[in-house]
Amino acid sequence: MKRTKKERQQLLIETIKNNPFITDEELSIQFSVSVQTIRLDRLELSIPELRERIKHVASKSFEDELQSLSIHEVIGEMVDIELDKRAISIFDVKLEHIFKRNQIARGHHLFAQANSLAVAVIKDELALTVKSNLSFVKPVKLGDRVIAKAIVTLKDQEKNRTFVEVISTVENEIVFEGQFEMYRTNEPSKGDTK
């Protein structure tokens, strides 16, 4: 059963609210309409294009929140962070990130995005990677948008360690997973233990 324009537009608003990083192409597939129809719907609803939505989400000043590094040292674009809990960054794969012969992203870029996010999420002036366990699950290609999500999974106050899991996806498919053991100089506050 085909949706009415009004129904589709209401669902479009809800979908973008739940996932501001969804592309027009993904929306056109989800709603079984052309990309042009999605763009016209967004225009009518005053919903900005993806790049503007990302900038809006990232407009919060993360520079003031980050303690372990500068916002400019995070690989990719930081879009969300709650120190000692979680963080999200977006990395667009461009020509300078790929092997020319097969258009596949070089692994050190995916690692750098994940590692810098694991450092950024730590609420400390000094956070260093002690060790990591990595899995490159699926190749990432030119033009892909990699969304990395870091979650603090454990804090060991005795050893001044924080454990961070980072999962990177492209179009909701996992492409990279990493578990990072991070050294920190200070102890998390008492209510922060997990």
Side-chain angles (χ1 to χ4, degrees), residues 23 36 63 75 98 132 155:
T23 66
Q36 187 60 31
E63 186 67 48
I75 306 302
I98 63 166
S132 60
K155 298 168 194 165

Side-chain angles (χ1 to χ4, degrees), residues 5 8 11 24 34-35 59 91 118 120 125 160 162 164 183 191:
K5 180 179 179 179
R8 182 184 67 241
L11 284 171
D24 287 347
S34 70
V35 173
S59 65
F91 174 70
E125 289 186 15
N160 284 357
T162 297
V164 181
Y183 169 80

Side-chain angles (χ1 to χ4, degrees), residues 59-77:
S59 65
K60 294 171 25 178
S61 176
F62 296 120
E63 186 67 48
D64 296 335
E65 291 183 46
L66 296 180
Q67 293 185 8
S68 56
L69 48 73
S70 154
I71 189 75
H72 306 293
E73 294 170 315
V74 176
I75 306 302
E77 188 174 346

